[in-house]
Amino acid sequence: MIAWTGIPVSVGIARTKTLAKLANRVAKKSTKADGVVDLSNRQDLIDTALNRVEVGDVWGVGRRYAERLAGYGIRTAHDLSIRGEQWARYEFGIVLARTVSELRGKPVFTLEDQPAPRQSCTCSRSFGLSTPDIEAVAAAISEYAQTAAERLRGEGMVAGHIQVFAYTNRFRKDAIQGVLAASSPLSPPTADTVQIVRTALKLTRVTKNYPPGCEWSKAGVLLTDLCRVDHVEQDLFTRVDSYKSEMLMTAIDHVNARYGRRCVGFGLSAEQADWRMRREKLSPAWTTRWTDIPTVKV
């Protein structure tokens, strides 16, 4: 990896997650390790690594605990490991006691094969310029709804509830303050951009729970009640052509993946709209966009 990209890579191997993270830290710092430290078998190597790492750098300890531990003369990971779990539980609580167990080679934290399922999906942005135009807010919410729907489909999930919101700038004392907030169920649960955008626009335009004269500075969409697409409970009273919807969404996602984000979208969006975020100081995407790679002339 280093030879191909110049990006350093380090690997830590051990019987517990805390020791593996500690081994990874040693691998980054050690010139002799060549990027790999294996603490899975030899206790002498574990003791050496524990002595080389400051207690504040141990996963699960942190600066505040490190300051308190220093009062007990504990300055390295090894100092902490020899104190024992009972002492750590009595003086600091169960969290540090678990860390001590892990440092002593007793697994406490299980490995997560899969990330926890997402509970909600939010897409929100601050506007480049505040706007009093509710149609501009609707345009922004339309685009954010499309982004949120794409994220759901990418993870094989659907949403059963949608909320739209917009805020004024609370730091402007001279401006009228207000909040636009509305929500609606999605029945049946869906990741169909058409359904989500249609509901989001209806909520934005119909809701009037704010005083007149508001200048909006931020808006967003929140999708909740998420579940896997294969776990959806069908609604006997709502007819939805799921096959056509899936084929359309798949085609749109493929086109956008090939030709660029939002190459195909659903109305209202404008590249030069005032509500778009200002990105004059956006960092170049050197590792993911060909056009941003620096050109060197010699």
PDB file of all heavy atoms in Angstrom, residues 75-112:
ATOM      1  N   ARG A  75       1.190   5.672  34.857  1.00  0.00           N
ATOM      2  CA  ARG A  75       1.533   6.503  33.710  1.00  0.00           C
ATOM      3  C   ARG A  75       1.592   5.727  32.396  1.00  0.00           C
ATOM      4  O   ARG A  75       1.579   6.318  31.326  1.00  0.00           O
ATOM      5  CB  ARG A  75       2.868   7.207  33.955  1.00  0.00           C
ATOM      6  CG  ARG A  75       2.852   8.058  35.212  1.00  0.00           C
ATOM      7  CD  ARG A  75       4.063   8.939  35.364  1.00  0.00           C
ATOM      8  NE  ARG A  75       4.005   9.726  36.574  1.00  0.00           N
ATOM      9  CZ  ARG A  75       3.307  10.862  36.720  1.00  0.00           C
ATOM     10  NH1 ARG A  75       2.616  11.325  35.705  1.00  0.00           N
ATOM     11  NH2 ARG A  75       3.305  11.508  37.874  1.00  0.00           N
ATOM     12  N   THR A  76       1.676   4.420  32.477  1.00  0.00           N
ATOM     13  CA  THR A  76       1.718   3.607  31.256  1.00  0.00           C
ATOM     14  C   THR A  76       0.586   2.579  31.279  1.00  0.00           C
ATOM     15  O   THR A  76      -0.036   2.331  32.323  1.00  0.00           O
ATOM     16  CB  THR A  76       3.055   2.861  31.117  1.00  0.00           C
ATOM     17  OG1 THR A  76       3.149   1.874  32.158  1.00  0.00           O
ATOM     18  CG2 THR A  76       4.230   3.818  31.200  1.00  0.00           C
ATOM     19  N   ALA A  77       0.349   1.980  30.128  1.00  0.00           N
ATOM     20  CA  ALA A  77      -0.663   0.929  30.041  1.00  0.00           C
ATOM     21  C   ALA A  77      -0.292  -0.250  30.935  1.00  0.00           C
ATOM     22  O   ALA A  77      -1.166  -0.907  31.519  1.00  0.00           O
ATOM     23  CB  ALA A  77      -0.814   0.478  28.590  1.00  0.00           C
ATOM     24  N   HIS A  78       0.994  -0.513  31.057  1.00  0.00           N
ATOM     25  CA  HIS A  78       1.439  -1.614  31.923  1.00  0.00           C
ATOM     26  C   HIS A  78       1.115  -1.323  33.380  1.00  0.00           C
ATOM     27  O   HIS A  78       0.668  -2.206  34.130  1.00  0.00           O
ATOM     28  CB  HIS A  78       2.939  -1.847  31.747  1.00  0.00           C
ATOM     29  CG  HIS A  78       3.456  -3.024  32.515  1.00  0.00           C
ATOM     30  ND1 HIS A  78       4.004  -2.894  33.779  1.00  0.00           N
ATOM     31  CD2 HIS A  78       3.491  -4.354  32.215  1.00  0.00           C
ATOM     32  CE1 HIS A  78       4.365  -4.079  34.213  1.00  0.00           C
ATOM     33  NE2 HIS A  78       4.066  -4.994  33.282  1.00  0.00           N
ATOM     34  N   ASP A  79       1.337  -0.074  33.810  1.00  0.00           N
ATOM     35  CA  ASP A  79       1.006   0.308  35.191  1.00  0.00           C
ATOM     36  C   ASP A  79      -0.469   0.046  35.477  1.00  0.00           C
ATOM     37  O   ASP A  79      -0.837  -0.417  36.560  1.00  0.00           O
ATOM     38  CB  ASP A  79       1.313   1.785  35.420  1.00  0.00           C
ATOM     39  CG  ASP A  79       2.794   2.095  35.333  1.00  0.00           C
ATOM     40  OD1 ASP A  79       3.604   1.172  35.502  1.00  0.00           O
ATOM     41  OD2 ASP A  79       3.131   3.272  35.061  1.00  0.00           O
ATOM     42  N   LEU A  80      -1.323   0.349  34.497  1.00  0.00           N
ATOM     43  CA  LEU A  80      -2.759   0.156  34.685  1.00  0.00           C
ATOM     44  C   LEU A  80      -3.118  -1.324  34.715  1.00  0.00           C
ATOM     45  O   LEU A  80      -3.943  -1.765  35.525  1.00  0.00           O
ATOM     46  CB  LEU A  80      -3.525   0.860  33.562  1.00  0.00           C
ATOM     47  CG  LEU A  80      -5.052   0.730  33.594  1.00  0.00           C
ATOM     48  CD1 LEU A  80      -5.620   1.316  34.879  1.00  0.00           C
ATOM     49  CD2 LEU A  80      -5.664   1.424  32.383  1.00  0.00           C
ATOM     50  N   SER A  81      -2.492  -2.100  33.851  1.00  0.00           N
ATOM     51  CA  SER A  81      -2.855  -3.518  33.750  1.00  0.00           C
ATOM     52  C   SER A  81      -2.554  -4.295  35.027  1.00  0.00           C
ATOM     53  O   SER A  81      -3.277  -5.228  35.377  1.00  0.00           O
ATOM     54  CB  SER A  81      -2.140  -4.157  32.560  1.00  0.00           C
ATOM     55  OG  SER A  81      -0.738  -4.228  32.784  1.00  0.00           O
ATOM     56  N   ILE A  82      -1.478  -3.917  35.747  1.00  0.00           N
ATOM     57  CA  ILE A  82      -1.102  -4.690  36.936  1.00  0.00           C
ATOM     58  C   ILE A  82      -1.923  -4.293  38.163  1.00  0.00           C
ATOM     59  O   ILE A  82      -1.833  -4.953  39.206  1.00  0.00           O
ATOM     60  CB  ILE A  82       0.405  -4.532  37.245  1.00  0.00           C
ATOM     61  CG1 ILE A  82       0.752  -3.067  37.540  1.00  0.00           C
ATOM     62  CG2 ILE A  82       1.241  -5.069  36.102  1.00  0.00           C
ATOM     63  CD1 ILE A  82       2.207  -2.858  37.909  1.00  0.00           C
ATOM     64  N   ARG A  83      -2.717  -3.235  38.071  1.00  0.00           N
ATOM     65  CA  ARG A  83      -3.554  -2.834  39.202  1.00  0.00           C
ATOM     66  C   ARG A  83      -4.732  -3.788  39.412  1.00  0.00           C
ATOM     67  O   ARG A  83      -5.219  -3.933  40.526  1.00  0.00           O
ATOM     68  CB  ARG A  83      -4.069  -1.404  38.997  1.00  0.00           C
ATOM     69  CG  ARG A  83      -3.055  -0.324  39.288  1.00  0.00           C
ATOM     70  CD  ARG A  83      -2.658  -0.345  40.759  1.00  0.00           C
ATOM     71  NE  ARG A  83      -1.725   0.724  41.084  1.00  0.00           N
ATOM     72  CZ  ARG A  83      -1.947   1.633  42.022  1.00  0.00           C
ATOM     73  NH1 ARG A  83      -3.074   1.610  42.711  1.00  0.00           N
ATOM     74  NH2 ARG A  83      -1.049   2.561  42.262  1.00  0.00           N
ATOM     75  N   GLY A  84      -5.249  -4.360  38.352  1.00  0.00           N
ATOM     76  CA  GLY A  84      -6.340  -5.322  38.490  1.00  0.00           C
ATOM     77  C   GLY A  84      -7.712  -4.721  38.289  1.00  0.00           C
ATOM     78  O   GLY A  84      -7.927  -3.519  38.477  1.00  0.00           O
ATOM     79  N   GLU A  85      -8.664  -5.597  37.945  1.00  0.00           N
ATOM     80  CA  GLU A  85     -10.020  -5.146  37.639  1.00  0.00           C
ATOM     81  C   GLU A  85     -10.772  -4.643  38.873  1.00  0.00           C
ATOM     82  O   GLU A  85     -11.503  -3.653  38.800  1.00  0.00           O
ATOM     83  CB  GLU A  85     -10.831  -6.280  36.997  1.00  0.00           C
ATOM     84  CG  GLU A  85     -10.294  -6.754  35.653  1.00  0.00           C
ATOM     85  CD  GLU A  85      -9.374  -7.965  35.802  1.00  0.00           C
ATOM     86  OE1 GLU A  85      -8.579  -7.974  36.760  1.00  0.00           O
ATOM     87  OE2 GLU A  85      -9.459  -8.863  34.956  1.00  0.00           O
ATOM     88  N   GLN A  86     -10.603  -5.311  40.015  1.00  0.00           N
ATOM     89  CA  GLN A  86     -11.344  -4.912  41.208  1.00  0.00           C
ATOM     90  C   GLN A  86     -10.968  -3.509  41.653  1.00  0.00           C
ATOM     91  O   GLN A  86     -11.834  -2.706  42.024  1.00  0.00           O
ATOM     92  CB  GLN A  86     -11.108  -5.920  42.334  1.00  0.00           C
ATOM     93  CG  GLN A  86     -11.732  -7.289  42.074  1.00  0.00           C
ATOM     94  CD  GLN A  86     -11.574  -8.220  43.264  1.00  0.00           C
ATOM     95  OE1 GLN A  86     -10.858  -7.909  44.226  1.00  0.00           O
ATOM     96  NE2 GLN A  86     -12.236  -9.372  43.201  1.00  0.00           N
ATOM     97  N   TRP A  87      -9.683  -3.202  41.627  1.00  0.00           N
ATOM     98  CA  TRP A  87      -9.248  -1.852  42.003  1.00  0.00           C
ATOM     99  C   TRP A  87      -9.822  -0.811  41.045  1.00  0.00           C
ATOM    100  O   TRP A  87     -10.322   0.232  41.486  1.00  0.00           O
ATOM    101  CB  TRP A  87      -7.720  -1.781  41.988  1.00  0.00           C
ATOM    102  CG  TRP A  87      -7.200  -0.387  42.245  1.00  0.00           C
ATOM    103  CD1 TRP A  87      -6.966   0.182  43.459  1.00  0.00           C
ATOM    104  CD2 TRP A  87      -6.887   0.598  41.266  1.00  0.00           C
ATOM    105  NE1 TRP A  87      -6.514   1.476  43.307  1.00  0.00           N
ATOM    106  CE2 TRP A  87      -6.461   1.758  41.966  1.00  0.00           C
ATOM    107  CE3 TRP A  87      -6.928   0.627  39.879  1.00  0.00           C
ATOM    108  CZ2 TRP A  87      -6.085   2.924  41.311  1.00  0.00           C
ATOM    109  CZ3 TRP A  87      -6.557   1.790  39.227  1.00  0.00           C
ATOM    110  CH2 TRP A  87      -6.138   2.924  39.936  1.00  0.00           C
ATOM    111  N   ALA A  88      -9.765  -1.090  39.742  1.00  0.00           N
ATOM    112  CA  ALA A  88     -10.279  -0.148  38.757  1.00  0.00           C
ATOM    113  C   ALA A  88     -11.778   0.064  38.923  1.00  0.00           C
ATOM    114  O   ALA A  88     -12.276   1.197  38.819  1.00  0.00           O
ATOM    115  CB  ALA A  88      -9.975  -0.652  37.346  1.00  0.00           C
ATOM    116  N   ARG A  89     -12.522  -1.018  39.213  1.00  0.00           N
ATOM    117  CA  ARG A  89     -13.962  -0.883  39.405  1.00  0.00           C
ATOM    118  C   ARG A  89     -14.283  -0.038  40.647  1.00  0.00           C
ATOM    119  O   ARG A  89     -15.180   0.810  40.623  1.00  0.00           O
ATOM    120  CB  ARG A  89     -14.610  -2.258  39.534  1.00  0.00           C
ATOM    121  CG  ARG A  89     -16.124  -2.216  39.699  1.00  0.00           C
ATOM    122  CD  ARG A  89     -16.624  -3.596  40.115  1.00  0.00           C
ATOM    123  NE  ARG A  89     -16.527  -4.536  39.034  1.00  0.00           N
ATOM    124  CZ  ARG A  89     -17.521  -4.782  38.180  1.00  0.00           C
ATOM    125  NH1 ARG A  89     -18.664  -4.142  38.296  1.00  0.00           N
ATOM    126  NH2 ARG A  89     -17.369  -5.670  37.220  1.00  0.00           N
ATOM    127  N   TYR A  90     -13.532  -0.255  41.716  1.00  0.00           N
ATOM    128  CA  TYR A  90     -13.792   0.472  42.963  1.00  0.00           C
ATOM    129  C   TYR A  90     -13.450   1.951  42.838  1.00  0.00           C
ATOM    130  O   TYR A  90     -14.189   2.816  43.309  1.00  0.00           O
ATOM    131  CB  TYR A  90     -12.987  -0.164  44.103  1.00  0.00           C
ATOM    132  CG  TYR A  90     -13.178   0.524  45.440  1.00  0.00           C
ATOM    133  CD1 TYR A  90     -14.317   0.285  46.202  1.00  0.00           C
ATOM    134  CD2 TYR A  90     -12.214   1.416  45.921  1.00  0.00           C
ATOM    135  CE1 TYR A  90     -14.499   0.934  47.416  1.00  0.00           C
ATOM    136  CE2 TYR A  90     -12.393   2.059  47.139  1.00  0.00           C
ATOM    137  CZ  TYR A  90     -13.527   1.819  47.878  1.00  0.00           C
ATOM    138  OH  TYR A  90     -13.710   2.457  49.073  1.00  0.00           O
ATOM    139  N   GLU A  91     -12.337   2.263  42.194  1.00  0.00           N
ATOM    140  CA  GLU A  91     -11.868   3.641  42.127  1.00  0.00           C
ATOM    141  C   GLU A  91     -12.478   4.431  40.958  1.00  0.00           C
ATOM    142  O   GLU A  91     -12.682   5.638  41.071  1.00  0.00           O
ATOM    143  CB  GLU A  91     -10.338   3.669  42.000  1.00  0.00           C
ATOM    144  CG  GLU A  91      -9.601   3.125  43.212  1.00  0.00           C
ATOM    145  CD  GLU A  91      -9.752   4.012  44.444  1.00  0.00           C
ATOM    146  OE1 GLU A  91     -10.121   5.196  44.275  1.00  0.00           O
ATOM    147  OE2 GLU A  91      -9.521   3.517  45.562  1.00  0.00           O
ATOM    148  N   PHE A  92     -12.770   3.752  39.832  1.00  0.00           N
ATOM    149  CA  PHE A  92     -13.189   4.472  38.624  1.00  0.00           C
ATOM    150  C   PHE A  92     -14.502   3.986  38.022  1.00  0.00           C
ATOM    151  O   PHE A  92     -15.123   4.705  37.250  1.00  0.00           O
ATOM    152  CB  PHE A  92     -12.092   4.378  37.550  1.00  0.00           C
ATOM    153  CG  PHE A  92     -10.856   5.141  37.886  1.00  0.00           C
ATOM    154  CD1 PHE A  92      -9.859   4.577  38.670  1.00  0.00           C
ATOM    155  CD2 PHE A  92     -10.672   6.439  37.425  1.00  0.00           C
ATOM    156  CE1 PHE A  92      -8.705   5.279  38.987  1.00  0.00           C
ATOM    157  CE2 PHE A  92      -9.523   7.146  37.729  1.00  0.00           C
ATOM    158  CZ  PHE A  92      -8.533   6.571  38.515  1.00  0.00           C
ATOM    159  N   GLY A  93     -14.894   2.743  38.295  1.00  0.00           N
ATOM    160  CA  GLY A  93     -16.138   2.247  37.738  1.00  0.00           C
ATOM    161  C   GLY A  93     -15.933   1.121  36.740  1.00  0.00           C
ATOM    162  O   GLY A  93     -14.811   0.726  36.411  1.00  0.00           O
ATOM    163  N   ILE A  94     -17.057   0.628  36.227  1.00  0.00           N
ATOM    164  CA  ILE A  94     -17.054  -0.560  35.386  1.00  0.00           C
ATOM    165  C   ILE A  94     -16.339  -0.344  34.056  1.00  0.00           C
ATOM    166  O   ILE A  94     -15.728  -1.261  33.506  1.00  0.00           O
ATOM    167  CB  ILE A  94     -18.512  -1.039  35.140  1.00  0.00           C
ATOM    168  CG1 ILE A  94     -18.532  -2.353  34.373  1.00  0.00           C
ATOM    169  CG2 ILE A  94     -19.306   0.035  34.411  1.00  0.00           C
ATOM    170  CD1 ILE A  94     -17.901  -3.497  35.084  1.00  0.00           C
ATOM    171  N   VAL A  95     -16.394   0.885  33.509  1.00  0.00           N
ATOM    172  CA  VAL A  95     -15.803   1.135  32.194  1.00  0.00           C
ATOM    173  C   VAL A  95     -14.292   0.896  32.227  1.00  0.00           C
ATOM    174  O   VAL A  95     -13.743   0.180  31.371  1.00  0.00           O
ATOM    175  CB  VAL A  95     -16.111   2.565  31.716  1.00  0.00           C
ATOM    176  CG1 VAL A  95     -15.376   2.852  30.407  1.00  0.00           C
ATOM    177  CG2 VAL A  95     -17.612   2.741  31.534  1.00  0.00           C
ATOM    178  N   LEU A  96     -13.620   1.484  33.207  1.00  0.00           N
ATOM    179  CA  LEU A  96     -12.169   1.296  33.294  1.00  0.00           C
ATOM    180  C   LEU A  96     -11.831  -0.136  33.687  1.00  0.00           C
ATOM    181  O   LEU A  96     -10.805  -0.677  33.255  1.00  0.00           O
ATOM    182  CB  LEU A  96     -11.557   2.280  34.287  1.00  0.00           C
ATOM    183  CG  LEU A  96     -10.022   2.355  34.239  1.00  0.00           C
ATOM    184  CD1 LEU A  96      -9.569   2.921  32.906  1.00  0.00           C
ATOM    185  CD2 LEU A  96      -9.471   3.199  35.380  1.00  0.00           C
ATOM    186  N   ALA A  97     -12.685  -0.768  34.487  1.00  0.00           N
ATOM    187  CA  ALA A  97     -12.443  -2.157  34.863  1.00  0.00           C
ATOM    188  C   ALA A  97     -12.444  -3.056  33.629  1.00  0.00           C
ATOM    189  O   ALA A  97     -11.634  -3.987  33.515  1.00  0.00           O
ATOM    190  CB  ALA A  97     -13.508  -2.620  35.858  1.00  0.00           C
ATOM    191  N   ARG A  98     -13.323  -2.782  32.696  1.00  0.00           N
ATOM    192  CA  ARG A  98     -13.343  -3.562  31.457  1.00  0.00           C
ATOM    193  C   ARG A  98     -12.073  -3.340  30.643  1.00  0.00           C
ATOM    194  O   ARG A  98     -11.535  -4.274  30.043  1.00  0.00           O
ATOM    195  CB  ARG A  98     -14.575  -3.174  30.633  1.00  0.00           C
ATOM    196  CG  ARG A  98     -15.892  -3.647  31.238  1.00  0.00           C
ATOM    197  CD  ARG A  98     -17.079  -3.064  30.488  1.00  0.00           C
ATOM    198  NE  ARG A  98     -18.332  -3.588  31.009  1.00  0.00           N
ATOM    199  CZ  ARG A  98     -19.528  -3.108  30.681  1.00  0.00           C
ATOM    200  NH1 ARG A  98     -19.623  -2.092  29.839  1.00  0.00           N
ATOM    201  NH2 ARG A  98     -20.622  -3.634  31.183  1.00  0.00           N
ATOM    202  N   THR A  99     -11.602  -2.102  30.631  1.00  0.00           N
ATOM    203  CA  THR A  99     -10.366  -1.807  29.910  1.00  0.00           C
ATOM    204  C   THR A  99      -9.199  -2.571  30.513  1.00  0.00           C
ATOM    205  O   THR A  99      -8.351  -3.122  29.789  1.00  0.00           O
ATOM    206  CB  THR A  99     -10.081  -0.294  29.937  1.00  0.00           C
ATOM    207  OG1 THR A  99     -11.143   0.397  29.283  1.00  0.00           O
ATOM    208  CG2 THR A  99      -8.770   0.030  29.237  1.00  0.00           C
ATOM    209  N   VAL A 100      -9.134  -2.629  31.846  1.00  0.00           N
ATOM    210  CA  VAL A 100      -8.062  -3.372  32.518  1.00  0.00           C
ATOM    211  C   VAL A 100      -8.144  -4.849  32.162  1.00  0.00           C
ATOM    212  O   VAL A 100      -7.118  -5.505  31.894  1.00  0.00           O
ATOM    213  CB  VAL A 100      -8.139  -3.170  34.042  1.00  0.00           C
ATOM    214  CG1 VAL A 100      -7.144  -4.085  34.752  1.00  0.00           C
ATOM    215  CG2 VAL A 100      -7.866  -1.717  34.401  1.00  0.00           C
ATOM    216  N   SER A 101      -9.357  -5.404  32.130  1.00  0.00           N
ATOM    217  CA  SER A 101      -9.512  -6.812  31.763  1.00  0.00           C
ATOM    218  C   SER A 101      -8.971  -7.069  30.366  1.00  0.00           C
ATOM    219  O   SER A 101      -8.294  -8.076  30.117  1.00  0.00           O
ATOM    220  CB  SER A 101     -10.994  -7.204  31.831  1.00  0.00           C
ATOM    221  OG  SER A 101     -11.483  -7.138  33.158  1.00  0.00           O
ATOM    222  N   GLU A 102      -9.278  -6.161  29.447  1.00  0.00           N
ATOM    223  CA  GLU A 102      -8.802  -6.312  28.077  1.00  0.00           C
ATOM    224  C   GLU A 102      -7.288  -6.217  28.014  1.00  0.00           C
ATOM    225  O   GLU A 102      -6.642  -6.963  27.256  1.00  0.00           O
ATOM    226  CB  GLU A 102      -9.452  -5.239  27.197  1.00  0.00           C
ATOM    227  CG  GLU A 102     -10.934  -5.424  26.971  1.00  0.00           C
ATOM    228  CD  GLU A 102     -11.237  -5.938  25.590  1.00  0.00           C
ATOM    229  OE1 GLU A 102     -10.593  -5.485  24.634  1.00  0.00           O
ATOM    230  OE2 GLU A 102     -12.115  -6.816  25.467  1.00  0.00           O
ATOM    231  N   LEU A 103      -6.685  -5.303  28.773  1.00  0.00           N
ATOM    232  CA  LEU A 103      -5.233  -5.179  28.787  1.00  0.00           C
ATOM    233  C   LEU A 103      -4.573  -6.430  29.346  1.00  0.00           C
ATOM    234  O   LEU A 103      -3.432  -6.757  28.994  1.00  0.00           O
ATOM    235  CB  LEU A 103      -4.812  -3.951  29.600  1.00  0.00           C
ATOM    236  CG  LEU A 103      -5.140  -2.580  29.005  1.00  0.00           C
ATOM    237  CD1 LEU A 103      -4.770  -1.473  29.981  1.00  0.00           C
ATOM    238  CD2 LEU A 103      -4.434  -2.370  27.674  1.00  0.00           C
ATOM    239  N   ARG A 104      -5.291  -7.153  30.197  1.00  0.00           N
ATOM    240  CA  ARG A 104      -4.749  -8.382  30.796  1.00  0.00           C
ATOM    241  C   ARG A 104      -5.060  -9.615  29.944  1.00  0.00           C
ATOM    242  O   ARG A 104      -4.837 -10.738  30.378  1.00  0.00           O
ATOM    243  CB  ARG A 104      -5.318  -8.551  32.204  1.00  0.00           C
ATOM    244  CG  ARG A 104      -4.853  -7.455  33.155  1.00  0.00           C
ATOM    245  CD  ARG A 104      -5.687  -7.424  34.421  1.00  0.00           C
ATOM    246  NE  ARG A 104      -5.436  -8.553  35.297  1.00  0.00           N
ATOM    247  CZ  ARG A 104      -4.551  -8.576  36.278  1.00  0.00           C
ATOM    248  NH1 ARG A 104      -3.805  -7.504  36.506  1.00  0.00           N
ATOM    249  NH2 ARG A 104      -4.396  -9.636  37.042  1.00  0.00           N
ATOM    250  N   GLY A 105      -5.619  -9.384  28.736  1.00  0.00           N
ATOM    251  CA  GLY A 105      -5.855 -10.474  27.802  1.00  0.00           C
ATOM    252  C   GLY A 105      -7.181 -11.179  27.950  1.00  0.00           C
ATOM    253  O   GLY A 105      -7.376 -12.255  27.375  1.00  0.00           O
ATOM    254  N   LYS A 106      -8.132 -10.593  28.716  1.00  0.00           N
ATOM    255  CA  LYS A 106      -9.454 -11.194  28.892  1.00  0.00           C
ATOM    256  C   LYS A 106     -10.465 -10.428  28.046  1.00  0.00           C
ATOM    257  O   LYS A 106     -10.791  -9.290  28.369  1.00  0.00           O
ATOM    258  CB  LYS A 106      -9.868 -11.142  30.367  1.00  0.00           C
ATOM    259  CG  LYS A 106      -8.887 -11.843  31.302  1.00  0.00           C
ATOM    260  CD  LYS A 106      -9.273 -11.630  32.752  1.00  0.00           C
ATOM    261  CE  LYS A 106      -8.242 -12.227  33.699  1.00  0.00           C
ATOM    262  NZ  LYS A 106      -8.583 -11.935  35.119  1.00  0.00           N
ATOM    263  N   PRO A 107     -10.959 -11.027  26.964  1.00  0.00           N
ATOM    264  CA  PRO A 107     -11.878 -10.296  26.067  1.00  0.00           C
ATOM    265  C   PRO A 107     -13.167  -9.894  26.770  1.00  0.00           C
ATOM    266  O   PRO A 107     -13.801 -10.695  27.458  1.00  0.00           O
ATOM    267  CB  PRO A 107     -12.160 -11.310  24.950  1.00  0.00           C
ATOM    268  CG  PRO A 107     -11.042 -12.291  25.024  1.00  0.00           C
ATOM    269  CD  PRO A 107     -10.656 -12.369  26.465  1.00  0.00           C
ATOM    270  N   VAL A 108     -13.522  -8.636  26.619  1.00  0.00           N
ATOM    271  CA  VAL A 108     -14.773  -8.099  27.167  1.00  0.00           C
ATOM    272  C   VAL A 108     -15.635  -7.527  26.039  1.00  0.00           C
ATOM    273  O   VAL A 108     -16.846  -7.747  25.996  1.00  0.00           O
ATOM    274  CB  VAL A 108     -14.498  -7.008  28.224  1.00  0.00           C
ATOM    275  CG1 VAL A 108     -15.806  -6.373  28.685  1.00  0.00           C
ATOM    276  CG2 VAL A 108     -13.743  -7.587  29.399  1.00  0.00           C
ATOM    277  N   PHE A 109     -14.999  -6.813  25.130  1.00  0.00           N
ATOM    278  CA  PHE A 109     -15.721  -6.186  24.025  1.00  0.00           C
ATOM    279  C   PHE A 109     -15.749  -7.151  22.837  1.00  0.00           C
ATOM    280  O   PHE A 109     -14.711  -7.550  22.323  1.00  0.00           O
ATOM    281  CB  PHE A 109     -15.047  -4.880  23.617  1.00  0.00           C
ATOM    282  CG  PHE A 109     -14.909  -3.905  24.746  1.00  0.00           C
ATOM    283  CD1 PHE A 109     -13.657  -3.564  25.236  1.00  0.00           C
ATOM    284  CD2 PHE A 109     -16.025  -3.339  25.336  1.00  0.00           C
ATOM    285  CE1 PHE A 109     -13.515  -2.672  26.278  1.00  0.00           C
ATOM    286  CE2 PHE A 109     -15.902  -2.448  26.389  1.00  0.00           C
ATOM    287  CZ  PHE A 109     -14.650  -2.114  26.866  1.00  0.00           C
ATOM    288  N   THR A 110     -16.954  -7.516  22.422  1.00  0.00           N
ATOM    289  CA  THR A 110     -17.099  -8.465  21.319  1.00  0.00           C
ATOM    290  C   THR A 110     -16.872  -7.767  19.985  1.00  0.00           C
ATOM    291  O   THR A 110     -17.073  -6.549  19.853  1.00  0.00           O
ATOM    292  CB  THR A 110     -18.499  -9.091  21.325  1.00  0.00           C
ATOM    293  OG1 THR A 110     -19.482  -8.044  21.210  1.00  0.00           O
ATOM    294  CG2 THR A 110     -18.734  -9.865  22.609  1.00  0.00           C
ATOM    295  N   LEU A 111     -16.469  -8.544  18.995  1.00  0.00           N
ATOM    296  CA  LEU A 111     -16.286  -8.028  17.646  1.00  0.00           C
ATOM    297  C   LEU A 111     -17.643  -7.868  16.976  1.00  0.00           C
ATOM    298  O   LEU A 111     -18.533  -8.713  17.133  1.00  0.00           O
ATOM    299  CB  LEU A 111     -15.416  -8.969  16.823  1.00  0.00           C
ATOM    300  CG  LEU A 111     -13.954  -9.093  17.254  1.00  0.00           C
ATOM    301  CD1 LEU A 111     -13.253 -10.137  16.402  1.00  0.00           C
ATOM    302  CD2 LEU A 111     -13.245  -7.752  17.141  1.00  0.00           C
ATOM    303  N   GLU A 112     -17.811  -6.785  16.227  1.00  0.00           N
ATOM    304  CA  GLU A 112     -19.054  -6.521  15.521  1.00  0.00           C
ATOM    305  C   GLU A 112     -18.863  -6.877  14.050  1.00  0.00           C
ATOM    306  O   GLU A 112     -18.154  -6.182  13.318  1.00  0.00           O
ATOM    307  CB  GLU A 112     -19.446  -5.047  15.664  1.00  0.00           C
ATOM    308  CG  GLU A 112     -19.677  -4.640  17.120  1.00  0.00           C
ATOM    309  CD  GLU A 112     -19.860  -3.142  17.277  1.00  0.00           C
ATOM    310  OE1 GLU A 112     -19.770  -2.436  16.247  1.00  0.00           O
ATOM    311  OE2 GLU A 112     -20.083  -2.694  18.398  1.00  0.00           O
TER     312      GLU A 112
END
